[in-house]
Amino acid sequence: IQPNNFHSLRTKYQPELPQLLQLDELDTKTETIQVNPQIREMFPFLCKEEVKAVTFQAANANENTIRAPLRIGCVLSGGQAAGGHNVIVGIYEQIKRRHPNSQLFGFLKGPIGIYTGKYEELKDDTINYFKNRGGFDMIQSGRHKIETEEQFKKSLQYCQSLKLDGLVVIGGDDSNTNACLLAEYFLKNNCQTSVVGCPKTIDGDLKNEFVEVSFGFDTACKTYSELIGNIMLDTVSSKKYYHFIRLMGRSASHIALECALLTRPTWAYIGEEVEKNKTSLTQIVTQLSDLIEKRYKQNKNHGVILVPEGLIEFIDEVKILIKEINTILAANKWEADQVFNNILTKLTPESSKLLQFLPRSISDQLLLDRDPHGNVQVAKIETEKLLIEMVQAELQRRKYAGKFSAISHYYGYEGRCAFPTKFDCDYCYSLGVNAAILIENKFTGVMSCIRDLHKNPSEWNAAGFPLVTMMDVETRKGKSVPVIKKALVDLDGPLFKFYQQNRDKWAFHDYYHPVGPIQFEGDQVPPFLINGKGFEFEEV
Ligand code: FBP
């Protein structure tokens, strides 16, 4: 690395740790918490006794404490999210501080690395290179799940042969559900390896009373917001384009809402509101066309519209269509070029009509293979182009006198691996340190949680919350299974309310707010998603 390039400057940054996690000796404090009785039955070993959350407090230093080296494995699971490397760096530096002979092993390419025994020992040179750096390229990630008895057995064998004190699973809702199943399996089979989860996903939907925000969300939103702001400045300069910007976030619209609050666009759709109001595709197109006509009367032929990538699945008739397609695709195997025609014969008349009405490029995207968790790959559906096409047709039908020149954008992958914001650097490092402490104290089936994130990092708190307390039972493929529920945008929460109160003003009076690039020094604004705690909304 060149000595002055940005990467080498970032590697010099030592993430801030909460004061509590800097202490040499910690006492643990546990508190019983309630678990859904159905979940208790599904996890008899984790729930054998009372299920407890753990927090830490300062303890008297004891010079006579003899510490043994720790051996920990870690894995990155699912989509990339900025800061993942710092979780690993946090684990590494913590176990080395405890004992210089401690060792950290990275399982390669996601959970498949655990059950195939593909791993690499991580040492100083690797750790120092990846510190504060985006991406998951240190050990790569993957979307495999540990599912079959054979895979669980193999995972246990490899963790045992490596004599691991703990395994840290860095992932989203599905990956942490998988981590919990693994913790249960290890306990049942007398395996000494603790399993600890860390909350990752740019989507921000791994959020509950224990997890304030998942890491990577802050960096993704701030990266997208920089780009949105640049587009805003361009469009108010030329005043001739409508920009339709689709933003990543598979299901929940947290990213779109956060970016809207940061940048104040002409309009932002929030999928959860569309679902609640049962807004149809035609209604969305009518609303947008009305907005464009009204702005034209004010002499405005430009605008910036934010479209969450999950929107398509929240539109009532599309949701029904996708559900039908999923069932039909699961039961039939056709050659790729026959899927469209064959599926039309099996859909209900309404869904068949809709599939034929949609532009062929979009209907083909709806028919693409599902991801390993059975989800439609919304990242590949160009909803922004669909809206542009439909609005164009509607304006033509209305004999619109103004000019509608639209440009489509998709901001997705570029937000997942950017250099993590200072918030994500510090947060992830603390998550890693805390995970190592939880393992040292032999807690298993817990999520490493860092809380009070609206405060300065030195004042953050650390805890371990049992994964079973975050679970609900859902029916999937006809079977009751435990899942960590995705948190959707709270339509009664302060963030959506604030947007709702201001959006009409923003729609017609261009309150664009270009935020500029991510800053790594000076005052930092944590993500609003932490429920606006400690954050005063600036009235606009
Ligand atoms: P995770 O839930 O695994 O963090 O991934 C989220 C995400 O980035 C979504 O926002 C997006 O729709 C999807 O992954 C894209 O998946 P892929 O990387 O497989 O194209």
Side-chain angles (χ1 to χ4, degrees), residues 77-81 143 171-173 175 200-203 205 224 248-251 255 309 371-373 376-380 410 412-413 416 486:
S77 182
Q80 284 74 256
R143 290 201 181 278
D173 50 339
S175 310
K200 171 237 70 166
T201 177
I202 66 159
D203 294 1
D205 56 8
Y224 301 146
M248 201 172 236
R250 192 203 317 276
S251 185
I255 292 181
E309 76 174 6
D371 77 5
H373 300 280
V376 177
Q377 298 184 57
V378 282
K380 298 195 171 59
Y410 173 44
Y413 298 95
R416 303 200 306 189
K486 280 190 196 304

PDB file of all heavy atoms in Angstrom, residues 77-81 143 171-173 175 200-203 205 224 248-251 255 309 371-373 376-380 410 412-413 416 486, ligand 1:
ATOM      1  N   SER A  77     -21.458 -14.352   7.111  1.00  0.00           N
ATOM      2  CA  SER A  77     -22.564 -15.070   6.477  1.00  0.00           C
ATOM      3  C   SER A  77     -23.532 -14.102   5.788  1.00  0.00           C
ATOM      4  O   SER A  77     -23.925 -13.087   6.362  1.00  0.00           O
ATOM      5  CB  SER A  77     -23.284 -15.860   7.582  1.00  0.00           C
ATOM      6  OG  SER A  77     -24.320 -16.608   7.056  1.00  0.00           O
ATOM      7  N   GLY A  78     -23.895 -14.400   4.542  1.00  0.00           N
ATOM      8  CA  GLY A  78     -24.872 -13.567   3.822  1.00  0.00           C
ATOM      9  C   GLY A  78     -24.220 -12.420   3.065  1.00  0.00           C
ATOM     10  O   GLY A  78     -23.030 -12.457   2.745  1.00  0.00           O
ATOM     11  N   GLY A  79     -25.015 -11.399   2.781  1.00  0.00           N
ATOM     12  CA  GLY A  79     -24.537 -10.262   1.971  1.00  0.00           C
ATOM     13  C   GLY A  79     -23.499  -9.430   2.710  1.00  0.00           C
ATOM     14  O   GLY A  79     -23.477  -9.403   3.948  1.00  0.00           O
ATOM     15  N   GLN A  80     -22.660  -8.753   1.954  1.00  0.00           N
ATOM     16  CA  GLN A  80     -21.619  -7.929   2.561  1.00  0.00           C
ATOM     17  C   GLN A  80     -22.238  -6.744   3.322  1.00  0.00           C
ATOM     18  O   GLN A  80     -23.316  -6.274   2.955  1.00  0.00           O
ATOM     19  CB  GLN A  80     -20.671  -7.377   1.496  1.00  0.00           C
ATOM     20  CG  GLN A  80     -19.695  -8.380   0.953  1.00  0.00           C
ATOM     21  CD  GLN A  80     -20.335  -9.370   0.009  1.00  0.00           C
ATOM     22  OE1 GLN A  80     -20.572 -10.514   0.370  1.00  0.00           O
ATOM     23  NE2 GLN A  80     -20.652  -8.954  -1.189  1.00  0.00           N
ATOM     24  N   ALA A  81     -21.524  -6.260   4.318  1.00  0.00           N
ATOM     25  CA  ALA A  81     -21.944  -5.069   5.063  1.00  0.00           C
ATOM     26  C   ALA A  81     -20.674  -4.444   5.617  1.00  0.00           C
ATOM     27  O   ALA A  81     -19.850  -5.154   6.207  1.00  0.00           O
ATOM     28  CB  ALA A  81     -22.891  -5.440   6.192  1.00  0.00           C
ATOM     29  N   ARG A 143     -23.989 -17.560   1.137  1.00  0.00           N
ATOM     30  CA  ARG A 143     -25.379 -17.645   1.598  1.00  0.00           C
ATOM     31  C   ARG A 143     -25.806 -19.070   1.963  1.00  0.00           C
ATOM     32  O   ARG A 143     -26.990 -19.343   2.098  1.00  0.00           O
ATOM     33  CB  ARG A 143     -26.314 -17.068   0.533  1.00  0.00           C
ATOM     34  CG  ARG A 143     -26.209 -15.569   0.361  1.00  0.00           C
ATOM     35  CD  ARG A 143     -27.435 -14.985  -0.286  1.00  0.00           C
ATOM     36  NE  ARG A 143     -27.327 -13.549  -0.465  1.00  0.00           N
ATOM     37  CZ  ARG A 143     -27.574 -12.651   0.488  1.00  0.00           C
ATOM     38  NH1 ARG A 143     -27.968 -13.043   1.674  1.00  0.00           N
ATOM     39  NH2 ARG A 143     -27.433 -11.365   0.244  1.00  0.00           N
ATOM     40  N   GLY A 171     -23.754 -12.348  10.945  1.00  0.00           N
ATOM     41  CA  GLY A 171     -24.771 -12.480   9.904  1.00  0.00           C
ATOM     42  C   GLY A 171     -26.079 -11.790  10.244  1.00  0.00           C
ATOM     43  O   GLY A 171     -26.224 -11.140  11.287  1.00  0.00           O
ATOM     44  N   GLY A 172     -27.056 -11.952   9.352  1.00  0.00           N
ATOM     45  CA  GLY A 172     -28.363 -11.322   9.522  1.00  0.00           C
ATOM     46  C   GLY A 172     -29.344 -12.235  10.247  1.00  0.00           C
ATOM     47  O   GLY A 172     -28.933 -13.138  10.984  1.00  0.00           O
ATOM     48  N   ASP A 173     -30.630 -12.006  10.017  1.00  0.00           N
ATOM     49  CA  ASP A 173     -31.653 -12.756  10.766  1.00  0.00           C
ATOM     50  C   ASP A 173     -31.569 -14.264  10.507  1.00  0.00           C
ATOM     51  O   ASP A 173     -31.564 -15.059  11.451  1.00  0.00           O
ATOM     52  CB  ASP A 173     -33.058 -12.211  10.470  1.00  0.00           C
ATOM     53  CG  ASP A 173     -33.340 -12.071   8.979  1.00  0.00           C
ATOM     54  OD1 ASP A 173     -32.392 -12.009   8.190  1.00  0.00           O
ATOM     55  OD2 ASP A 173     -34.515 -12.040   8.592  1.00  0.00           O
ATOM     56  N   SER A 175     -29.014 -16.025   9.333  1.00  0.00           N
ATOM     57  CA  SER A 175     -27.736 -16.578   9.795  1.00  0.00           C
ATOM     58  C   SER A 175     -27.716 -16.726  11.310  1.00  0.00           C
ATOM     59  O   SER A 175     -27.148 -17.683  11.845  1.00  0.00           O
ATOM     60  CB  SER A 175     -26.572 -15.679   9.375  1.00  0.00           C
ATOM     61  OG  SER A 175     -26.670 -15.384   8.014  1.00  0.00           O
ATOM     62  N   LYS A 200     -25.462  -8.331  11.601  1.00  0.00           N
ATOM     63  CA  LYS A 200     -24.994  -7.728  10.343  1.00  0.00           C
ATOM     64  C   LYS A 200     -26.131  -7.636   9.334  1.00  0.00           C
ATOM     65  O   LYS A 200     -26.923  -8.551   9.241  1.00  0.00           O
ATOM     66  CB  LYS A 200     -23.885  -8.610   9.768  1.00  0.00           C
ATOM     67  CG  LYS A 200     -23.424  -8.268   8.388  1.00  0.00           C
ATOM     68  CD  LYS A 200     -23.533  -9.429   7.394  1.00  0.00           C
ATOM     69  CE  LYS A 200     -24.933  -9.780   7.046  1.00  0.00           C
ATOM     70  NZ  LYS A 200     -25.121 -10.647   5.880  1.00  0.00           N
ATOM     71  N   THR A 201     -26.271  -6.598   8.637  1.00  0.00           N
ATOM     72  CA  THR A 201     -27.012  -6.452   7.380  1.00  0.00           C
ATOM     73  C   THR A 201     -27.240  -4.977   7.094  1.00  0.00           C
ATOM     74  O   THR A 201     -27.641  -4.215   7.990  1.00  0.00           O
ATOM     75  CB  THR A 201     -28.383  -7.170   7.322  1.00  0.00           C
ATOM     76  OG1 THR A 201     -28.993  -6.861   6.064  1.00  0.00           O
ATOM     77  CG2 THR A 201     -29.360  -6.819   8.424  1.00  0.00           C
ATOM     78  N   ILE A 202     -26.973  -4.595   5.856  1.00  0.00           N
ATOM     79  CA  ILE A 202     -27.192  -3.179   5.514  1.00  0.00           C
ATOM     80  C   ILE A 202     -28.681  -2.868   5.569  1.00  0.00           C
ATOM     81  O   ILE A 202     -29.068  -1.713   5.694  1.00  0.00           O
ATOM     82  CB  ILE A 202     -26.635  -2.816   4.119  1.00  0.00           C
ATOM     83  CG1 ILE A 202     -27.392  -3.541   2.999  1.00  0.00           C
ATOM     84  CG2 ILE A 202     -25.157  -3.068   4.026  1.00  0.00           C
ATOM     85  CD1 ILE A 202     -27.256  -2.863   1.647  1.00  0.00           C
ATOM     86  N   ASP A 203     -29.530  -3.900   5.453  1.00  0.00           N
ATOM     87  CA  ASP A 203     -30.976  -3.661   5.355  1.00  0.00           C
ATOM     88  C   ASP A 203     -31.580  -3.040   6.623  1.00  0.00           C
ATOM     89  O   ASP A 203     -32.674  -2.475   6.574  1.00  0.00           O
ATOM     90  CB  ASP A 203     -31.719  -4.979   5.058  1.00  0.00           C
ATOM     91  CG  ASP A 203     -31.367  -5.536   3.683  1.00  0.00           C
ATOM     92  OD1 ASP A 203     -30.548  -4.913   2.981  1.00  0.00           O
ATOM     93  OD2 ASP A 203     -31.909  -6.588   3.315  1.00  0.00           O
ATOM     94  N   ASP A 205     -32.909  -4.496   9.052  1.00  0.00           N
ATOM     95  CA  ASP A 205     -34.114  -5.171   9.546  1.00  0.00           C
ATOM     96  C   ASP A 205     -33.836  -6.187  10.648  1.00  0.00           C
ATOM     97  O   ASP A 205     -34.757  -6.818  11.158  1.00  0.00           O
ATOM     98  CB  ASP A 205     -34.883  -5.834   8.381  1.00  0.00           C
ATOM     99  CG  ASP A 205     -34.021  -6.800   7.585  1.00  0.00           C
ATOM    100  OD1 ASP A 205     -32.883  -7.074   8.001  1.00  0.00           O
ATOM    101  OD2 ASP A 205     -34.492  -7.281   6.544  1.00  0.00           O
ATOM    102  N   TYR A 224     -25.130   5.969  -0.065  1.00  0.00           N
ATOM    103  CA  TYR A 224     -26.213   6.264  -1.019  1.00  0.00           C
ATOM    104  C   TYR A 224     -26.607   7.742  -0.934  1.00  0.00           C
ATOM    105  O   TYR A 224     -26.893   8.376  -1.947  1.00  0.00           O
ATOM    106  CB  TYR A 224     -27.455   5.398  -0.731  1.00  0.00           C
ATOM    107  CG  TYR A 224     -27.224   3.910  -0.792  1.00  0.00           C
ATOM    108  CD1 TYR A 224     -27.917   3.032   0.043  1.00  0.00           C
ATOM    109  CD2 TYR A 224     -26.323   3.349  -1.695  1.00  0.00           C
ATOM    110  CE1 TYR A 224     -27.711   1.655   0.000  1.00  0.00           C
ATOM    111  CE2 TYR A 224     -26.111   1.974  -1.743  1.00  0.00           C
ATOM    112  CZ  TYR A 224     -26.801   1.140  -0.894  1.00  0.00           C
ATOM    113  OH  TYR A 224     -26.593  -0.208  -0.940  1.00  0.00           O
ATOM    114  N   MET A 248     -31.099  -0.294  -2.380  1.00  0.00           N
ATOM    115  CA  MET A 248     -31.054  -1.661  -1.883  1.00  0.00           C
ATOM    116  C   MET A 248     -31.781  -1.776  -0.534  1.00  0.00           C
ATOM    117  O   MET A 248     -31.975  -0.788   0.171  1.00  0.00           O
ATOM    118  CB  MET A 248     -29.611  -2.114  -1.741  1.00  0.00           C
ATOM    119  CG  MET A 248     -29.459  -3.602  -1.721  1.00  0.00           C
ATOM    120  SD  MET A 248     -27.753  -4.097  -1.773  1.00  0.00           S
ATOM    121  CE  MET A 248     -27.747  -5.155  -3.190  1.00  0.00           C
ATOM    122  N   GLY A 249     -32.116  -2.984  -0.183  1.00  0.00           N
ATOM    123  CA  GLY A 249     -32.849  -3.283   1.053  1.00  0.00           C
ATOM    124  C   GLY A 249     -33.926  -4.263   0.664  1.00  0.00           C
ATOM    125  O   GLY A 249     -34.973  -3.857   0.164  1.00  0.00           O
ATOM    126  N   ARG A 250     -33.637  -5.542   0.858  1.00  0.00           N
ATOM    127  CA  ARG A 250     -34.462  -6.595   0.274  1.00  0.00           C
ATOM    128  C   ARG A 250     -35.944  -6.460   0.592  1.00  0.00           C
ATOM    129  O   ARG A 250     -36.784  -6.539  -0.273  1.00  0.00           O
ATOM    130  CB  ARG A 250     -33.974  -7.946   0.778  1.00  0.00           C
ATOM    131  CG  ARG A 250     -34.564  -9.129   0.034  1.00  0.00           C
ATOM    132  CD  ARG A 250     -34.533 -10.384   0.865  1.00  0.00           C
ATOM    133  NE  ARG A 250     -33.304 -10.578   1.572  1.00  0.00           N
ATOM    134  CZ  ARG A 250     -32.214 -11.138   1.059  1.00  0.00           C
ATOM    135  NH1 ARG A 250     -32.220 -11.543  -0.184  1.00  0.00           N
ATOM    136  NH2 ARG A 250     -31.137 -11.282   1.793  1.00  0.00           N
ATOM    137  N   SER A 251     -36.231  -6.227   1.865  1.00  0.00           N
ATOM    138  CA  SER A 251     -37.644  -6.245   2.216  1.00  0.00           C
ATOM    139  C   SER A 251     -38.036  -4.909   2.847  1.00  0.00           C
ATOM    140  O   SER A 251     -38.768  -4.115   2.249  1.00  0.00           O
ATOM    141  CB  SER A 251     -37.860  -7.424   3.172  1.00  0.00           C
ATOM    142  OG  SER A 251     -39.190  -7.576   3.451  1.00  0.00           O
ATOM    143  N   ILE A 255     -33.664   1.622   4.606  1.00  0.00           N
ATOM    144  CA  ILE A 255     -32.622   2.382   3.902  1.00  0.00           C
ATOM    145  C   ILE A 255     -33.257   3.571   3.183  1.00  0.00           C
ATOM    146  O   ILE A 255     -32.757   4.702   3.260  1.00  0.00           O
ATOM    147  CB  ILE A 255     -31.852   1.475   2.912  1.00  0.00           C
ATOM    148  CG1 ILE A 255     -31.022   0.450   3.693  1.00  0.00           C
ATOM    149  CG2 ILE A 255     -30.976   2.295   1.969  1.00  0.00           C
ATOM    150  CD1 ILE A 255     -30.185  -0.495   2.836  1.00  0.00           C
ATOM    151  N   GLU A 309     -35.950  -1.102  -2.976  1.00  0.00           N
ATOM    152  CA  GLU A 309     -35.982  -2.271  -3.870  1.00  0.00           C
ATOM    153  C   GLU A 309     -37.048  -3.287  -3.453  1.00  0.00           C
ATOM    154  O   GLU A 309     -37.562  -4.031  -4.271  1.00  0.00           O
ATOM    155  CB  GLU A 309     -34.602  -2.922  -4.031  1.00  0.00           C
ATOM    156  CG  GLU A 309     -34.137  -3.753  -2.868  1.00  0.00           C
ATOM    157  CD  GLU A 309     -32.829  -4.515  -3.120  1.00  0.00           C
ATOM    158  OE1 GLU A 309     -32.178  -4.340  -4.157  1.00  0.00           O
ATOM    159  OE2 GLU A 309     -32.454  -5.287  -2.236  1.00  0.00           O
ATOM    160  N   ASP A 371     -33.342 -17.069  -4.139  1.00  0.00           N
ATOM    161  CA  ASP A 371     -32.066 -17.246  -3.429  1.00  0.00           C
ATOM    162  C   ASP A 371     -32.170 -18.481  -2.510  1.00  0.00           C
ATOM    163  O   ASP A 371     -33.250 -19.076  -2.408  1.00  0.00           O
ATOM    164  CB  ASP A 371     -31.674 -15.947  -2.686  1.00  0.00           C
ATOM    165  CG  ASP A 371     -32.452 -15.740  -1.400  1.00  0.00           C
ATOM    166  OD1 ASP A 371     -33.240 -16.627  -1.001  1.00  0.00           O
ATOM    167  OD2 ASP A 371     -32.267 -14.679  -0.778  1.00  0.00           O
ATOM    168  N   PRO A 372     -31.060 -18.908  -1.864  1.00  0.00           N
ATOM    169  CA  PRO A 372     -31.110 -20.138  -1.064  1.00  0.00           C
ATOM    170  C   PRO A 372     -32.145 -20.105   0.062  1.00  0.00           C
ATOM    171  O   PRO A 372     -32.508 -21.148   0.595  1.00  0.00           O
ATOM    172  CB  PRO A 372     -29.688 -20.260  -0.494  1.00  0.00           C
ATOM    173  CG  PRO A 372     -28.837 -19.463  -1.398  1.00  0.00           C
ATOM    174  CD  PRO A 372     -29.682 -18.360  -1.931  1.00  0.00           C
ATOM    175  N   HIS A 373     -32.617 -18.913   0.441  1.00  0.00           N
ATOM    176  CA  HIS A 373     -33.625 -18.843   1.506  1.00  0.00           C
ATOM    177  C   HIS A 373     -35.035 -18.746   0.921  1.00  0.00           C
ATOM    178  O   HIS A 373     -36.001 -18.495   1.635  1.00  0.00           O
ATOM    179  CB  HIS A 373     -33.347 -17.656   2.431  1.00  0.00           C
ATOM    180  CG  HIS A 373     -32.000 -17.746   3.087  1.00  0.00           C
ATOM    181  ND1 HIS A 373     -31.780 -18.540   4.180  1.00  0.00           N
ATOM    182  CD2 HIS A 373     -30.811 -17.196   2.761  1.00  0.00           C
ATOM    183  CE1 HIS A 373     -30.497 -18.466   4.520  1.00  0.00           C
ATOM    184  NE2 HIS A 373     -29.893 -17.647   3.663  1.00  0.00           N
ATOM    185  N   VAL A 376     -37.398 -13.896  -3.428  1.00  0.00           N
ATOM    186  CA  VAL A 376     -37.285 -13.336  -4.778  1.00  0.00           C
ATOM    187  C   VAL A 376     -36.062 -12.419  -4.770  1.00  0.00           C
ATOM    188  O   VAL A 376     -35.828 -11.710  -3.799  1.00  0.00           O
ATOM    189  CB  VAL A 376     -38.525 -12.454  -5.071  1.00  0.00           C
ATOM    190  CG1 VAL A 376     -38.413 -11.788  -6.428  1.00  0.00           C
ATOM    191  CG2 VAL A 376     -39.758 -13.277  -4.979  1.00  0.00           C
ATOM    192  N   GLN A 377     -35.299 -12.415  -5.844  1.00  0.00           N
ATOM    193  CA  GLN A 377     -34.081 -11.594  -5.848  1.00  0.00           C
ATOM    194  C   GLN A 377     -34.430 -10.157  -6.262  1.00  0.00           C
ATOM    195  O   GLN A 377     -34.214  -9.757  -7.401  1.00  0.00           O
ATOM    196  CB  GLN A 377     -33.052 -12.202  -6.778  1.00  0.00           C
ATOM    197  CG  GLN A 377     -32.632 -13.592  -6.320  1.00  0.00           C
ATOM    198  CD  GLN A 377     -31.534 -14.150  -7.191  1.00  0.00           C
ATOM    199  OE1 GLN A 377     -30.476 -13.564  -7.346  1.00  0.00           O
ATOM    200  NE2 GLN A 377     -31.799 -15.291  -7.791  1.00  0.00           N
ATOM    201  N   VAL A 378     -34.992  -9.406  -5.298  1.00  0.00           N
ATOM    202  CA  VAL A 378     -35.457  -8.054  -5.624  1.00  0.00           C
ATOM    203  C   VAL A 378     -34.322  -7.154  -6.124  1.00  0.00           C
ATOM    204  O   VAL A 378     -34.564  -6.183  -6.832  1.00  0.00           O
ATOM    205  CB  VAL A 378     -36.175  -7.380  -4.428  1.00  0.00           C
ATOM    206  CG1 VAL A 378     -37.578  -7.900  -4.280  1.00  0.00           C
ATOM    207  CG2 VAL A 378     -35.395  -7.551  -3.145  1.00  0.00           C
ATOM    208  N   ALA A 379     -33.084  -7.525  -5.753  1.00  0.00           N
ATOM    209  CA  ALA A 379     -31.944  -6.716  -6.211  1.00  0.00           C
ATOM    210  C   ALA A 379     -31.852  -6.753  -7.736  1.00  0.00           C
ATOM    211  O   ALA A 379     -31.198  -5.909  -8.347  1.00  0.00           O
ATOM    212  CB  ALA A 379     -30.650  -7.239  -5.585  1.00  0.00           C
ATOM    213  N   LYS A 380     -32.505  -7.729  -8.351  1.00  0.00           N
ATOM    214  CA  LYS A 380     -32.397  -7.861  -9.812  1.00  0.00           C
ATOM    215  C   LYS A 380     -33.669  -7.392 -10.524  1.00  0.00           C
ATOM    216  O   LYS A 380     -33.795  -7.525 -11.726  1.00  0.00           O
ATOM    217  CB  LYS A 380     -32.086  -9.314 -10.173  1.00  0.00           C
ATOM    218  CG  LYS A 380     -30.752  -9.779  -9.592  1.00  0.00           C
ATOM    219  CD  LYS A 380     -30.268 -11.045 -10.231  1.00  0.00           C
ATOM    220  CE  LYS A 380     -28.855 -11.388  -9.804  1.00  0.00           C
ATOM    221  NZ  LYS A 380     -28.668 -11.564  -8.360  1.00  0.00           N
ATOM    222  N   TYR A 410     -29.650   2.662  -9.861  1.00  0.00           N
ATOM    223  CA  TYR A 410     -29.779   1.658  -8.801  1.00  0.00           C
ATOM    224  C   TYR A 410     -28.554   1.774  -7.913  1.00  0.00           C
ATOM    225  O   TYR A 410     -27.428   1.612  -8.378  1.00  0.00           O
ATOM    226  CB  TYR A 410     -29.870   0.247  -9.415  1.00  0.00           C
ATOM    227  CG  TYR A 410     -29.829  -0.855  -8.372  1.00  0.00           C
ATOM    228  CD1 TYR A 410     -30.574  -0.751  -7.196  1.00  0.00           C
ATOM    229  CD2 TYR A 410     -29.052  -1.996  -8.553  1.00  0.00           C
ATOM    230  CE1 TYR A 410     -30.543  -1.758  -6.240  1.00  0.00           C
ATOM    231  CE2 TYR A 410     -29.021  -3.007  -7.596  1.00  0.00           C
ATOM    232  CZ  TYR A 410     -29.771  -2.879  -6.441  1.00  0.00           C
ATOM    233  OH  TYR A 410     -29.741  -3.868  -5.482  1.00  0.00           O
ATOM    234  N   GLY A 412     -26.924  -0.019  -4.947  1.00  0.00           N
ATOM    235  CA  GLY A 412     -27.049  -1.253  -4.175  1.00  0.00           C
ATOM    236  C   GLY A 412     -25.709  -1.730  -3.676  1.00  0.00           C
ATOM    237  O   GLY A 412     -25.275  -1.372  -2.579  1.00  0.00           O
ATOM    238  N   TYR A 413     -25.035  -2.469  -4.541  1.00  0.00           N
ATOM    239  CA  TYR A 413     -23.792  -3.140  -4.122  1.00  0.00           C
ATOM    240  C   TYR A 413     -22.709  -2.149  -3.694  1.00  0.00           C
ATOM    241  O   TYR A 413     -21.885  -2.456  -2.843  1.00  0.00           O
ATOM    242  CB  TYR A 413     -23.302  -4.068  -5.241  1.00  0.00           C
ATOM    243  CG  TYR A 413     -24.321  -5.160  -5.510  1.00  0.00           C
ATOM    244  CD1 TYR A 413     -25.275  -5.033  -6.524  1.00  0.00           C
ATOM    245  CD2 TYR A 413     -24.372  -6.286  -4.700  1.00  0.00           C
ATOM    246  CE1 TYR A 413     -26.243  -6.009  -6.718  1.00  0.00           C
ATOM    247  CE2 TYR A 413     -25.336  -7.270  -4.896  1.00  0.00           C
ATOM    248  CZ  TYR A 413     -26.274  -7.127  -5.908  1.00  0.00           C
ATOM    249  OH  TYR A 413     -27.231  -8.085  -6.085  1.00  0.00           O
ATOM    250  N   ARG A 416     -22.401  -1.611   0.073  1.00  0.00           N
ATOM    251  CA  ARG A 416     -22.177  -2.697   1.034  1.00  0.00           C
ATOM    252  C   ARG A 416     -20.716  -2.847   1.447  1.00  0.00           C
ATOM    253  O   ARG A 416     -20.436  -3.453   2.474  1.00  0.00           O
ATOM    254  CB  ARG A 416     -22.645  -4.035   0.437  1.00  0.00           C
ATOM    255  CG  ARG A 416     -24.101  -4.028   0.024  1.00  0.00           C
ATOM    256  CD  ARG A 416     -24.675  -5.406  -0.090  1.00  0.00           C
ATOM    257  NE  ARG A 416     -23.926  -6.295  -0.953  1.00  0.00           N
ATOM    258  CZ  ARG A 416     -24.353  -7.501  -1.337  1.00  0.00           C
ATOM    259  NH1 ARG A 416     -25.524  -7.923  -0.907  1.00  0.00           N
ATOM    260  NH2 ARG A 416     -23.648  -8.258  -2.113  1.00  0.00           N
ATOM    261  N   LYS A 486     -37.987 -10.299  10.894  1.00  0.00           N
ATOM    262  CA  LYS A 486     -37.417  -9.077  10.304  1.00  0.00           C
ATOM    263  C   LYS A 486     -38.183  -7.867  10.847  1.00  0.00           C
ATOM    264  O   LYS A 486     -39.413  -7.911  10.919  1.00  0.00           O
ATOM    265  CB  LYS A 486     -37.615  -9.091   8.789  1.00  0.00           C
ATOM    266  CG  LYS A 486     -36.609  -9.929   8.030  1.00  0.00           C
ATOM    267  CD  LYS A 486     -36.761  -9.646   6.537  1.00  0.00           C
ATOM    268  CE  LYS A 486     -36.089 -10.690   5.677  1.00  0.00           C
ATOM    269  NZ  LYS A 486     -34.673 -10.904   5.929  1.00  0.00           N
TER     270      LYS A 486
HETATM  271  P1  FBP B   1     -28.158  -9.771   3.924  1.00  0.00           P
HETATM  272  O1  FBP B   1     -29.581  -9.801   4.408  1.00  0.00           O
HETATM  273  O2  FBP B   1     -27.556 -11.114   3.823  1.00  0.00           O
HETATM  274  O3  FBP B   1     -27.320  -8.826   4.718  1.00  0.00           O
HETATM  275  O4  FBP B   1     -28.140  -9.184   2.430  1.00  0.00           O
HETATM  276  C1  FBP B   1     -28.909  -8.080   2.120  1.00  0.00           C
HETATM  277  C2  FBP B   1     -28.802  -7.669   0.669  1.00  0.00           C
HETATM  278  O5  FBP B   1     -27.736  -6.782   0.474  1.00  0.00           O
HETATM  279  C3  FBP B   1     -30.131  -7.065   0.209  1.00  0.00           C
HETATM  280  O6  FBP B   1     -30.204  -5.706   0.513  1.00  0.00           O
HETATM  281  C4  FBP B   1     -30.129  -7.408  -1.257  1.00  0.00           C
HETATM  282  O7  FBP B   1     -31.427  -7.474  -1.775  1.00  0.00           O
HETATM  283  C5  FBP B   1     -29.473  -8.751  -1.291  1.00  0.00           C
HETATM  284  O8  FBP B   1     -28.608  -8.791  -0.185  1.00  0.00           O
HETATM  285  C6  FBP B   1     -28.688  -9.019  -2.543  1.00  0.00           C
HETATM  286  O9  FBP B   1     -28.226 -10.316  -2.513  1.00  0.00           O
HETATM  287  P2  FBP B   1     -27.003 -10.849  -3.394  1.00  0.00           P
HETATM  288  O10 FBP B   1     -25.739 -10.343  -2.766  1.00  0.00           O
HETATM  289  O11 FBP B   1     -27.108 -12.327  -3.247  1.00  0.00           O
HETATM  290  O12 FBP B   1     -27.191 -10.343  -4.779  1.00  0.00           O
END
